[in-house]
Amino acid sequence: MSLLDALQRSGVLRPVDLALAQALQRIDGDIADSALAAAALASHAVAQGHAAFDPAAAGELVDASIDWPDAAEWRATLAACSMVDRPDADAASDESTPLVLEDGRVYLRRYREYERRLAAALARLCVATDGAPHADVDALHARLFPAGEGDDAQARAARRALDSTVMLVTGGPGTGKTTTIARLLVLLAAQARARGKPVPRFALAAPTGRAADRMAGGVRRVAESLRAAGIDAELCDALPTQASTLHRLLGLVPGRPQARFDRVQPLKVDVLVVDEASMVDLPLMCKLVEALPDGARLLLLGDRDQLPSVEAGDVLAALVDACDAPAAANAPLAGRRVHLDRGYRQTDDLVLEPVADAVRRGDAAAALSALRVGGGGLHYHEDALDPLAASTREALLAPWRGLRHCSEPREALALVNRARLLTALRDGPQGASQLNARIELALAGTQREPYFHGRLLMVTENSARHGLFNGDVGVCLPDVHGAPIAWFDGPDAPRAFHPGALPAHSGAFATTVHKAQGSEFDIVLLQLPAADTRVLTRELIYTGLTRARTQLHVLGPASAIEAALGRHARRISGLARRLGAA
């Protein structure tokens, strides 16, 4: 049996993966079977979040009993194949070849080009310099970051960002990334004024609308506090008050690969701040950085320990590695990162730091110990597999019952993020789909209307026509005639939609951890599956835990936590190496 036949019989490959291999075979009837299999696997790898396929790690990509070829021989066959290009590292690949072999990895040509173009665009931005800060800016820096107060890393981040056109600020939830960047923007406005230049054109952006709104709110709060502390009102007024999704910023429309803004027609911004950078996939980051004009600043905020993007690539991790690389001519990002590690997103009601730290380190024993001790808003329901069982039912349902009594959209939308049930899986008894259906039954009964009063909805595809994007959450309320209306947050006021006119959507009482990235909730119930699965990783557990603000319930067997903490969400990519990391 050929390798491609074995893959087809395994049921792992998608129809589009097989279609690519079959198309190549029609073009070249003599193409080696292992090359066809590599093409199908390169396509499959992108669907699994990788930028490329590594023949030496085929068993990690495909969970099936297959007799894999020797990796060196497989690569040699690919190197001799007419459908595979082998360009120099900085050169564009041949547009007539669908595959690229580089550093032992097999790429779909488009994704190799995304990596190459992103690395080139970052190097272009890094070339610009801004000179030494003015003395007035030094004095303002000392006021904004007083010695002995707060985290010294925040002061270092702001200082280094003044000198750098590209900067990464990393850290866990609640470590002050947004606060640091907001104060940095004040410094940049002051620096421009001291040099007799216009105030920089600032822009705030994030992968999701919820993350963008949260960042804009954080910047507004910092501006208000600085104004109250006596910082020059003109500088505080220079801070942006709104944020955009990355798709909206670039003018990307679903179904169209080209953005409104690109290298030829760049964005009209001088300083771009991107929050939740771990969620940004390779194609989107490439388009974003290419669209920045020469001399612009790019400030990326994120948490490497969170889940990588749903789509291909683990861009933030690659950029962190590149920033941490030794200084060299081929390492343009070297030294351009500051890590903040003081505090986590929590309140006095939730003491999350011990368990979050243990999970981040992969220390299962310490994580389980902290969970079992509990206290401070932390609850571990060991071996619990049903969040609607008596022990957790009230904690799960109580926050949402109040929605049934809301009539005003603003009031209801304010309650949307009171609680969320997060899952590792989409399907199955511990999956979001089944649990969401059961929650809706528990809240509204068997005779409920499809869009009952208080139902939460999540948009599952981008729709520029509606101004709604994947992950946006709304709530259903009846109008004066009793007809259901779906309300979503808007830039200035809640927006109303007839449910039948919405883009693709689903219930949102229970969602996967992936869907919850960029959001935070007062109460989180994290349901782990009964059996081990590859999607259970250290990053998934960490991301789920750190969505909680005041109360966290973890449900599931200890074995699930032990398995997850021993597994990383590894992505195959050449971006870090391309940017000078070892």
Side-chain angles (χ1 to χ4, degrees):
M1 182 188 303
S2 72
L3 179 56
L4 185 61
D5 286 340
L7 285 167
Q8 186 171 3
R9 292 195 179 195
S10 73
V12 170
L13 298 180
R14 303 168 300 157
V16 69
D17 305 330
L18 291 168
L20 173 61
Q22 292 161 357
L24 297 184
Q25 191 170 39
R26 286 194 297 271
I27 295 170
D28 182 357
D30 296 326
I31 190 170
D33 172 71
S34 62
L36 294 175
L41 289 169
S43 174
H44 178 66
V46 168
Q48 300 303 307
H50 303 283
F53 162 61
D54 182 358
E60 297 179 21
L61 179 65
V62 176
D63 189 9
S65 180
I66 292 177
D67 186 16
W68 299 107
D70 175 76
E73 294 178 3
W74 200 350
R75 287 169 176 146
T77 300
L78 288 165
C81 179
S82 63
M83 298 291 176
V84 180
D85 191 21
R86 299 179 64 197
D88 292 336
D90 297 328
S93 50
D94 187 342
E95 294 184 6
S96 67
T97 57
L99 301 176
V100 175
L101 180 65
E102 186 172 54
D103 288 333
R105 295 179 296 274
V106 184
Y107 291 86
L108 297 182
R109 179 186 176 276
R110 181 193 308 173
Y111 286 87
R112 187 268 181 180
E113 288 304 297
Y114 282 138
E115 279 193 1
R116 182 189 67 81
R117 286 164 46 195
L118 174 54
L122 287 167
R124 170 178 62 86
L125 291 181
C126 289
V127 168
T129 58
D130 201 25
H134 192 276
D136 290 347
V137 177
D138 284 334
L140 180 58
H141 180 278
R143 286 188 65 191
L144 294 174
F145 300 94
E149 292 186 18
D151 188 348
D152 289 342
Q154 294 183 5
R156 292 199 307 275
R159 168 61 64 185
R160 289 170 65 178
L162 279 172
D163 305 326
S164 302
T165 49
V166 178
M167 189 75 187
L168 269 68
V169 180
T170 58
T175 50
K177 298 186 294 293
T178 302
T179 299
T180 301
I181 290 301
R183 294 180 179 185
L184 168 63
L185 298 186
V186 171
L187 290 171
L188 290 173
Q191 184 161 277
R193 187 172 69 179
R195 293 173 176 172
K197 296 181 178 179
V199 172
R201 297 169 295 178
F202 296 123
L204 307 177
T208 68
R210 181 65 61 184
D213 290 344
R214 198 180 68 246
M215 175 169 58
V219 171
R220 288 194 299 269
R221 286 190 293 274
V222 172
E224 291 167 4
S225 67
L226 293 179
R227 190 179 291 108
I231 300 300
D232 190 326
E234 182 181 345
L235 297 178
C236 296
D237 290 343
L239 267 61
T241 59
Q242 301 294 330
S244 169
T245 64
L246 294 174
H247 284 84
R248 193 177 292 131
L249 177 74
L250 289 170
L252 280 165
V253 177
R256 297 182 189 174
Q258 299 302 318
R260 177 186 174 191
F261 296 102
D262 54 20
R263 185 72 179 99
V264 176
Q265 185 175 350
L267 291 162
K268 295 177 175 61
V269 300
D270 299 309
V271 180
L272 174 62
V273 182
V274 179
D275 199 9
E276 299 289 353
S278 65
M279 297 174 63
V280 185
D281 58 59
L282 174 62
L284 184 56
M285 187 66 85
C286 174
K287 293 171 184 177
L288 178 70
V289 179
E290 282 190 328
L292 288 172
D294 292 343
R297 291 180 186 270
L298 175 62
L299 306 171
L300 298 174
L301 318 182
D303 185 355
R304 181 181 183 164
D305 297 313
Q306 288 190 26
L307 282 166
S309 58
V310 175
E311 304 299 332
D314 191 356
V315 176
L316 181 63
L319 298 187
V320 168
D321 289 342
C323 287
D324 294 349
N330 68 336
L333 295 180
R336 295 174 180 261
R337 178 172 83 105
V338 172
H339 183 72
L340 309 180
D341 57 9
R342 180 175 176 177
Y344 285 90
R345 177 191 295 132
Q346 60 184 40
T347 67
D348 292 339
D349 298 323
L350 178 61
V351 180
L352 189 58
E353 190 166 352
V355 66
D357 274 342
V359 169
R360 182 173 49 80
R361 298 193 311 271
D363 188 339
L368 286 168
S369 176
L371 285 170
R372 286 166 176 154
V373 169
L378 179 63
H379 309 271
Y380 182 34
H381 308 270
E382 192 163 354
D383 296 323
L385 298 175
D386 182 4
L388 285 160
S391 61
T392 51
R393 185 181 183 89
E394 190 60 22
L396 178 65
L397 300 179
W400 294 316
R401 289 201 178 104
L403 290 170
R404 303 280 290 182
H405 305 293
C406 290
S407 58
E408 292 297 323
R410 286 186 187 276
E411 178 189 11
L413 288 167
L415 297 177
V416 161
N417 286 334
R418 279 288 314 282
R420 195 75 87 243
L421 173 60
L422 304 182
T423 67
L425 305 174
R426 184 177 57 187
D427 302 313
Q430 288 86 45
S433 295
Q434 287 191 28
L435 289 171
N436 199 72
R438 292 181 60 208
I439 291 168
E440 293 185 356
L441 175 63
L443 289 172
T446 56
Q447 302 301 315
R448 65 190 181 277
E449 295 292 330
Y451 296 96
F452 61 85
H453 189 162
R455 186 187 182 200
L456 298 186
L457 300 178
M458 175 178 284
V459 174
T460 56
E461 67 178 14
N462 294 331
S463 174
R465 181 168 66 89
H466 294 83
L468 294 173
F469 295 87
N470 190 356
D472 286 351
V473 175
V475 61
C476 296
L477 299 177
D479 66 12
V480 293
H481 303 292
I485 299 293
W487 291 90
F488 288 81
D489 275 322
D492 302 309
R495 295 176 296 153
F497 298 88
H498 188 282
L502 287 172
H505 57 278
S506 64
F509 294 107
T511 67
T512 61
V513 174
H514 269 101
K515 286 288 188 182
Q517 281 184 276
S519 297
E520 57 182 28
F521 314 98
D522 292 339
I523 301 169
V524 166
L525 288 89
L526 176 61
Q527 177 66 68
L528 303 177
D532 188 24
T533 170
R534 284 191 177 194
V535 303
L536 266 183
T537 62
R538 185 183 306 182
E539 292 81 3
L540 184 140
I541 300 292
Y542 176 85
T543 303
L545 296 177
T546 54
R547 299 309 90 201
R549 283 189 294 234
T550 62
Q551 196 174 135
L552 172 66
H553 297 260
V554 179
L555 298 82
S559 59
I561 294 173
E562 291 168 340
L565 268 57
R567 184 184 293 126
H568 270 298
R570 177 173 176 258
R571 295 279 176 91
I572 304 298
S573 167
L575 180 60
R577 185 181 180 88
R578 199 178 295 278
L579 288 166

